[in-house]
Amino acid sequence: MKRVCVTGAGGFIGSHLAKRLRGMGYYIVGADWKHPDSDCIRADESCDEFHLVDLRKYDNCLRVTAGCAHVYQLAADMGGMGFIQSNHSACIFNNSLINLHVLEACRVNEVDRVFYSSSACVYPEHLQLDERAIGLKESHAWPAKPQDAYGLEKLFAEEAYAHYGRDFGMTIRMARFHNVYGPYGTWKGGREKAPAALCRKIAVSDDALEIWGDGEQTRSFIYIDDLVEGVLRVMFGDDPRLQGVAINIGTEELVSINDLANEIMRIASKRLRVVHAPGPEGVRGRNSDNSMMRDVLGWEPTTSLRNGLERTYEWIKSRASNDPSHGRSEVVRQEMIPL
Ligand SMILES: NC(=O)c1ccc[n+]([C@@H]2O[C@H](COP(=O)([O-])OP(=O)(O)OC[C@H]3O[C@@H](n4cnc5c(N)ncnc54)[C@H](O)[C@@H]3O)[C@@H](O)[C@H]2O)c1
């Protein structure tokens, strides 16, 4: 059995990916500084070993990646717009340490293949000023001017991983994820993203629904099972165009936040009064261009937004109805956590 490390295995995407890889017969070493709680896929379902460690520290990175054939670097201090726009310093400090230390540990431990999870947040703000968003191609990332520190750090880390690939002959795979949603995603606490936040608000309300901004800002969303499939295709793909290059994994199904809310209300069979309130909105419009994905992977996501939202809404509704506070959430400014 090949030993595979998934960092961030206590989180949304990491736990789904670890579970899928374990089902494929790999021996999974999970690492995270948070143990999966009742809202996550349990560690004993997704991992053979689970290490509760701070991956900002190099020694921990060295330990969890030792003897591993593959490493998937998914650990990050992150959340939806509310979190990212309130925590620039934490995103820069924590994520750059994690990314560099995991990468260097992979080099020292002679890991065969390394996957790095980047984000659509790397793209320049000036290409995302219009809700009729142009599809963002991989080459649009440079010259760089991401909106937030979170996106700039992701772009820096992409460069670091690409350089290690060139300098040390490491096999490096990278992808830019575009708004991932699905069951077991964060749905309360201030780090949740728009689909989960809207599902929660709609599940617990019989009257009003608050939406940040005018709701005409647009995004495309990818369902978790499609995302995991895309990650595996990128990781195992042997097309030379994948070496050290970050490829979009998203959908091209552009939707406004108002339309997203309307779709969830239809699924919930509710008609709530929409209240537009000031809040962190992120860029005005963002869509993926999947040309490279089609060309290099010969693949595209298949889950429709309607179908993915149905599954997500049911899961969040069951969680919110069992939560005494109904998952009431606020944007959080977290304390810096000392090393
Ligand atoms: N969810 C999305 O829409 C999305 C979009 C673009 C990129 N990404 C990227 O995908 C990856 C996974 O995201 P996710 O949605 O699963 O987020 P998540 O927050 O659910 O998972 C990230 C995990 O990293 C862990 N972590 C953070 N700091 C750590 C540290 N110092 N030591 C150990 N573990 C630490 C967290 O505890 C968390 O469990 C991240 O790199 C994220 O930036 C996600």
Side-chain angles (χ1 to χ4, degrees):
M1 270 169 120
K2 267 192 183 165
R3 202 176 164 89
V4 167
C5 179
V6 179
T7 55
F12 170 43
I13 301 173
S15 61
H16 277 271
L17 177 66
K19 187 177 174 192
R20 173 87 187 268
L21 286 164
R22 197 176 186 209
M24 291 162 69
Y26 291 100
Y27 182 92
I28 305 300
V29 180
D32 203 300
W33 67 1
K34 152 176 112 38
H35 207 274
D37 55 26
S38 58
D39 283 334
C40 290
I41 295 177
R42 291 200 328 265
D44 61 358
E45 271 186 73
S46 60
C47 301
D48 295 282
E49 289 173 25
F50 189 88
H51 297 257
L52 205 55
V53 286
D54 183 351
L55 292 166
R56 299 175 307 167
K57 297 185 179 171
Y58 177 62
D59 286 354
N60 290 335
C61 298
L62 208 51
R63 193 151 48 84
V64 297
T65 58
C68 289
H70 301 162
V71 170
Y72 295 82
Q73 195 331 63
L74 296 167
D77 202 0
M78 63 91 64
M81 267 309 137
F83 179 81
I84 285 175
Q85 298 200 336
S86 315
N87 291 283
H88 295 287
S89 305
C91 287
I92 283 274
F93 182 75
N94 292 337
N95 294 340
S96 52
L97 288 180
I98 297 170
N99 285 326
L100 292 180
H101 286 159
V102 170
L103 177 59
E104 172 64 3
C106 289
R107 183 190 70 79
V108 169
N109 282 325
E110 298 181 357
V111 172
D112 292 340
R113 266 174 200 254
V114 182
F115 177 89
Y116 172 59
S117 55
S118 185
S119 166
C121 289
V122 300
Y123 288 113
E125 190 170 12
H126 67 264
L127 296 179
Q128 304 174 82
L129 298 175
D130 194 320
E131 57 266 22
R132 295 160 303 172
I134 57 157
L136 293 161
K137 290 182 192 296
E138 286 76 0
S139 57
H140 281 140
W142 295 94
K145 188 78 182 78
Q147 187 182 57
D148 301 301
Y150 168 78
L152 186 61
E153 191 285 327
K154 286 277 185 202
L155 199 56
F156 163 74
E158 284 184 9
E159 288 296 292
Y161 279 69
H163 279 297
Y164 266 60
R166 282 191 289 272
D167 291 350
F168 306 116
M170 295 168 69
T171 301
I172 301 290
R173 296 288 180 267
M174 297 190 273
R176 295 176 183 152
F177 301 166
H178 288 247
N179 302 304
V180 191
Y181 71 100
Y184 298 105
T186 308
W187 62 278
K188 64 172 182 175
R191 289 179 184 251
E192 61 278 13
K193 298 179 157 226
L198 291 171
C199 284
R200 184 198 72 230
K201 290 178 185 179
I202 290 168
V204 301
S205 175
D206 289 317
D207 169 28
L209 168 66
E210 185 187 275
I211 290 181
W212 289 344
D214 67 3
E216 291 305 311
Q217 62 272 33
T218 53
R219 295 290 184 278
S220 62
F221 298 93
I222 181 165
Y223 187 65
I224 181 67
D225 292 353
D226 285 337
L227 188 276
V228 168
E229 179 64 29
V231 168
L232 296 178
R233 285 173 185 261
V234 169
M235 184 62 152
F236 293 107
D238 275 323
D239 190 306
R241 287 171 291 177
L242 289 171
Q243 170 58 23
V245 171
I247 176 170
N248 285 330
I249 304 187
T251 70
E252 294 175 337
E253 196 179 347
L254 191 69
V255 62
S256 71
I257 298 301
N258 286 331
D259 286 345
L260 183 69
N262 286 331
E263 190 69 346
I264 300 169
M265 284 195 273
R266 273 193 289 277
I267 291 167
S269 303
K270 288 188 180 184
R271 196 67 246 164
L272 304 176
R273 181 172 48 85
V274 173
V275 178
H276 293 285
E281 295 174 43
V283 293
R284 188 64 181 165
R286 173 180 293 158
N287 199 3
S288 179
D289 180 313
N290 288 349
S291 308
M292 184 175 175
M293 183 197 287
R294 283 187 285 269
D295 194 22
V296 177
L297 301 181
W299 171 84
E300 273 199 273
T302 52
T303 310
S304 67
L305 186 61
R306 168 80 191 200
N307 203 253
L309 285 175
E310 279 171 356
R311 291 184 239 171
T312 308
Y313 179 74
E314 279 314 310
W315 183 82
I316 291 177
K317 188 177 138 196
S318 70
R319 299 290 147 145
S321 53
N322 290 325
D323 186 295
S325 70
H326 290 326
R328 192 167 300 118
S329 291
E330 286 184 12
V331 171
V332 284
R333 172 84 188 272
Q334 74 174 18
E335 295 297 314
M336 294 297 282
I337 300 163
L339 273 176

